[in-house]
Amino acid sequence: MGGGGLLTVVELFGAAALLVVIAIISIIFFEAYNRRFNNSHVEGEAIFEDPNSLNKVPCPSIFDPAEKYISLIIPAFNEEHRLPSALEETINYLQQRGEKDKSFTYEVILVDDGSVDGTKRVAFDFVRKYKVENVRVLLLGRNYGKGEAIRKGMLHSRGELLLMLDADGATKVNDLEKLENQILTVAGKETDVNASGGGDSSFGVCDVPVAAFGSRAHLEDKALATRKWYRNFLMKGFHLVVLLASGPGIRDTQCGFKMFTRAAAQKLFGNVRLKRWCFDVELVYLCKWFGIPMVEISVTWSEIPGSKVNMLSIPNMLWELVLMSVGYRTGMWRITV
């Protein structure tokens, strides 16, 4: 009698556990399916606003011919305090380089990801100071996430090369030259092959898909020594999941300092679906799918107070990675060539 009752309890627990597993799997598949069109525009035609004339400036498309040498895309969410110094340093560098080399043309695209502080005011102050031809603000209207902010900025950029960087200035902007040089080296080989084969004479570096990833991997030993044990445990676990989701190749997927040729950006950002932290991992996955060469370069990086990444970010990242794996591996997320 007692044994039968115990067996019944075990069976009930087993059935309950099975139902929980089925429910979790169902939720994962539903959420992945629900995000299958996340790479599509849903807000209508985007515009830049010139705060000096109050005229609307139509956004160009990444699929238009390049008009600038380089575009810098900076996502900003409640960055009223950290943005000014980082942006001033960035524009000073760009101006100095432009003065030395007249062929060095640039634009800075600030993507306000639904900030509720004074970020928009700060951004428009820079547009007034440096003109809408060089500095533009793209307003998303509400908070979508860093991945979506960068995707929108990339899709409306004019550069041959496109650099994403964080609003806090954690990475020195002149390190873009390290990424730039590597991209020019890799892409230059392809243009040389094209020229020697009698190909299109207008074929240039921006037509060769290449991605360069800034990396803090060389700082990992120091970080392990200073972080709490549980943070190291969670980060190691996250890195393992990233390895399973996107495969080997890039040690530091999460550094917010990445450069792409225009051809690479056209392929990648027309397909990115993750809107928040793990879009970086999706970029690695897509680069591998398209066969886009990836180079990883160590950059100068420093911790800036005010980071929006916290311990709760790890479970959210893992959730996005699960959705990405299911979405692509089941064919729900179709890649547009």
Side-chain angles (χ1 to χ4, degrees), residues 19-211:
L19 288 174
V20 169
V21 171
I22 293 174
I24 292 174
I25 293 175
S26 299
I27 292 172
I28 291 172
F29 273 80
F30 174 78
E31 290 297 329
Y33 180 80
N34 200 37
R35 288 165 170 76
R36 68 194 187 283
F37 297 128
N38 267 14
N39 60 321
S40 302
H41 284 292
V42 295
E43 294 83 21
E45 184 179 1
I47 58 168
F48 293 114
E49 181 178 297
D50 184 348
N52 291 312
S53 65
L54 299 181
N55 291 330
K56 305 297 183 182
V57 181
C59 286
S61 168
I62 187 68
F63 298 101
D64 296 335
E67 298 177 17
K68 300 280 188 178
Y69 174 69
I70 191 168
S71 298
L72 280 69
I73 293 86
I74 304 176
F77 175 64
N78 293 343
E79 293 289 359
E80 174 184 7
H81 301 294
R82 299 196 298 179
L83 183 61
S85 59
L87 195 53
E88 198 69 64
E89 179 182 343
T90 297
I91 295 179
N92 285 340
Y93 163 81
L94 295 172
Q95 285 186 321
Q96 290 172 12
R97 187 166 167 185
E99 290 171 358
K100 296 177 183 177
D101 180 5
K102 298 304 180 183
S103 66
F104 182 81
T105 55
Y106 64 88
E107 68 173 351
V108 177
I109 300 178
L110 296 162
V111 187
D112 184 352
D113 187 24
S115 299
V116 294
D117 65 351
T119 297
K120 176 181 175 180
R121 172 185 53 77
V122 170
F124 276 126
D125 285 344
F126 276 89
V127 181
R128 293 185 184 95
K129 183 176 181 180
Y130 296 104
K131 310 305 179 188
V132 74
E133 178 60 23
N134 296 316
V135 182
R136 297 183 168 188
V137 179
L138 185 58
L139 304 174
L140 298 191
R142 66 180 180 87
N143 179 243
Y144 287 92
K146 180 181 178 181
E148 181 66 2
I150 289 175
R151 189 177 79 93
K152 282 290 194 294
M154 288 282 178
L155 291 176
H156 295 300
S157 298
R158 295 176 287 169
E160 296 180 24
L161 300 177
L162 299 96
L163 175 74
M164 51 173 273
L165 66 165
D166 292 333
D168 59 6
T171 306
K172 292 298 182 184
V173 65
N174 57 357
D175 270 3
L176 72 82
E177 295 175 25
K178 297 179 181 179
L179 280 63
E180 176 188 4
N181 291 335
Q182 288 295 318
I183 281 184
L184 294 178
T185 298
V186 175
K189 295 176 182 178
E190 292 294 326
T191 56
D192 290 343
V193 170
N194 180 76
S196 62
D200 185 355
S201 60
S202 65
F203 188 84
V205 168
C206 69
D207 299 306
V208 182
V210 186

